[in-house]
Amino acid sequence: MKALVYHGPDLASWQEVPDPDLEDPTDAIVRIDTVTICGTDLHILRGEVPDVRPDTVLGHEAVGEVVETGAEVRGVCPGDRVLVSCISACGHCRFCRERAYGQCRGGGGWILGRSINGTQAEYVRVPFADFSLHPLPGSVDPHDAVLLADTFPTAYEVGVLNGRVAPGDTVAVVGAGPVGLAAIATAEFFSPSRVIAVDPAPARLDAAKRVGADAVADAAEGPERLVEDLTDGLGADVVIEAVGTPRSFETCTRMVRPGGRLANVGVHTRPATLHLEKLWIKNVTITTGLVDTYSTPTLLSMLAAGRLPASTLITHLFELDRMEEAYDVFSRAADTGAIKIALGGTNRPLMTRER
């Protein structure tokens, strides 16, 4: 099969690799229909996630069709159309029993495209298939569904739910990339009084308005002042950090009101300063987290009901074999206007697998 293989910092290629095989009785093999590229994949490609070893197939989000299952798999069978979750869950360890699947200690967690071969390929082996695959309703488009593998659950769980967005809240979302836009869209579930989006890119601020932002601010032009003006000087009830840089995190700490919540979603690769000398007196709650994907069934129901604007985030479509070109476009988002990229989704005929 063909797959995107990481060879080290700034080196990856779409190349032939061996087909995946079942390794455990709880595995499934999925033929990939649609994948997408995550900002975390760019961090890996830049060498900022050192536990990803060379020769690893990248990717942790996909929609596809089950072609083979292990002897102990009961929840899916060959022919099923499924969403491949970015998080694998053994289903039995302490954290899985608490629905904290991202912290799985039984061999799961974020492993696809990190410690085992991932989804940016023609086929993928999915461990713990009963807990890590979600059957898809026939009416759901793969370009919509693939955004529920990571983007929407991350925004909803780590941003909106950890931030405890409530009716009447003022919510500020710093970063209007895919996860920030998904946070804006899912914050609307809880009827906040206003949502403010902050980003330096005009195209992304326009996208924020389309998914529900009531006000937008250029990140380079003192967005804290806009938040102050809209809240009579109090600050935002909830601030969601969706960038992952020291500057964006510190901006968030200046926006949150006394007694407010700051939910960090962004993937940080450098230290950020926590100004406790200013924050200790403000009763601020700061949360962090890796997505657990416990919300995926709920989000799938919302998507099937037409209540989730998933595909509005997709700006570019490619065939799978244009993976390297897609990475180039996504990595130059400031120039290309890329928000989210989808590859595949053309219902390619099932390839014969030789065992």
Side-chain angles (χ1 to χ4, degrees):
M1 71 171 186
K2 291 287 188 73
L4 187 78
V5 181
Y6 172 70
H7 295 295
D10 299 316
L11 296 171
S13 62
W14 180 252
Q15 65 184 68
E16 288 190 0
V17 299
D19 285 356
D21 290 313
L22 296 172
E23 297 181 14
D24 295 299
T26 54
D27 290 349
I29 304 296
V30 175
R31 178 191 66 86
I32 297 300
D33 179 19
T34 307
V35 297
T36 186
I37 303 171
C38 179
T40 305
D41 296 324
L42 297 183
H43 285 299
I44 294 171
L45 194 55
R46 290 193 289 259
E48 296 170 350
V49 186
D51 52 345
V52 179
R53 297 180 179 179
D55 300 323
T56 300
V57 175
L58 296 183
H60 51 267
E61 306 156 274
V63 168
E65 181 179 332
V66 176
V67 296
E68 191 173 2
T69 58
E72 295 180 12
V73 175
R74 299 289 182 269
V76 295
C77 60
D80 285 352
R81 185 165 166 262
V82 293
L83 174 69
V84 181
S85 176
C86 66
I87 297 296
S88 303
C90 78
H92 303 292
C93 71
R94 169 184 172 175
F95 290 108
C96 284
R97 289 177 180 273
E98 295 174 355
R99 298 199 310 167
Y101 306 121
Q103 306 302 321
C104 175
R105 291 298 183 266
W110 172 35
I111 56 174
L112 289 172
R114 184 187 181 199
S115 57
I116 67 171
N117 286 334
T119 59
Q120 289 170 2
E122 293 178 323
Y123 292 90
V124 63
R125 177 180 73 91
V126 181
F128 312 116
D130 281 338
F131 297 99
S132 308
L133 296 176
H134 299 270
L136 288 179
S139 61
V140 172
D141 186 276
H143 293 148
D144 290 317
V146 75
L147 297 189
L148 271 62
D150 182 356
T151 302
F152 272 87
T154 294
Y156 184 52
E157 294 174 19
V158 187
V160 174
L161 295 182
N162 278 4
R164 304 201 310 276
V165 175
D169 278 351
T170 292
V171 179
V173 179
V174 177
V179 171
L181 294 173
I184 293 168
T186 53
E188 295 294 334
F189 294 171
F190 298 95
S191 300
S193 63
R194 64 177 66 86
V195 177
I196 304 163
V198 178
D199 199 277
R204 293 196 167 193
L205 294 178
D206 288 341
K209 293 176 185 177
R210 290 196 298 273
V211 298
D214 301 288
V216 298
D218 188 323
E221 297 181 358
E224 300 96 323
R225 178 60 60 85
L226 174 62
V227 172
E228 287 183 5
D229 290 346
L230 291 176
T231 60
D232 295 325
L234 286 178
D237 301 285
V238 181
V239 182
I240 297 174
E241 199 284 335
V243 182
T245 66
R247 181 177 180 180
S248 60
F249 178 79
E250 291 170 29
T251 295
C252 290
T253 64
R254 293 192 295 270
M255 287 182 174
V256 66
R257 68 163 173 82
R261 288 89 66 195
L262 192 169
N264 184 90
V265 187
V267 177
H268 290 264
T269 60
R270 291 176 290 155
T273 301
L274 180 63
H275 288 285
L276 283 176
E277 78 281 5
K278 297 178 180 178
L279 292 172
W280 73 269
I281 201 170
K282 292 179 66 176
N283 295 14
V284 170
T285 298
I286 298 175
T287 58
T288 66
L290 173 66
V291 65
D292 293 310
T293 66
Y294 63 81
S295 68
T296 302
T298 297
L299 294 171
L300 278 171
S301 296
M302 297 289 285
L303 181 64
R307 302 291 299 276
L308 205 62
S311 61
T312 59
L313 275 60
I314 296 175
T315 55
H316 294 73
L317 299 174
F318 293 89
E319 291 297 326
L320 276 178
D321 60 6
R322 294 173 64 192
M323 187 73 69
E324 294 177 37
E325 181 183 353
Y327 261 85
D328 177 64
V329 170
F330 189 59
S331 68
R332 297 185 297 107
D335 300 321
T336 63
I339 294 177
K340 199 67 176 174
I341 287 176
L343 298 99
T346 55
N347 296 314
R348 295 175 294 114
L350 183 64
M351 297 170 57
T352 301
R353 284 173 47 82
E354 295 181 1
R355 305 302 303 165

